[in-house]
Amino acid sequence: MINFDEEIEKFQPSLEIEQAEDVINNNDLTDISDILKELLKQKSDK
């Protein structure tokens, strides 16, 4: 049988996942609220 305690002790997260997490969290992506703000700004400027 699998000894889950031993397996958990040996577990190390992949560096690729940690690097991907940093990239995702640091991206400044446009979301729907940014688009709506821009549309409202354009409408009020007219």
Side-chain angles (χ1 to χ4, degrees), residues 7-37:
E7 294 300 319
I8 289 174
E9 288 175 7
K10 292 189 285 186
F11 175 77
Q12 293 182 351
S14 171
L15 292 177
E16 294 173 9
I17 293 173
E18 291 175 2
Q19 291 170 346
E21 186 178 71
D22 291 340
V23 170
I24 292 168
N25 288 334
N26 292 329
N27 271 343
D28 186 24
L29 299 174
T30 302
D31 62 4
I32 189 68
S33 64
D34 295 330
I35 294 170
L36 290 173
K37 287 177 188 176

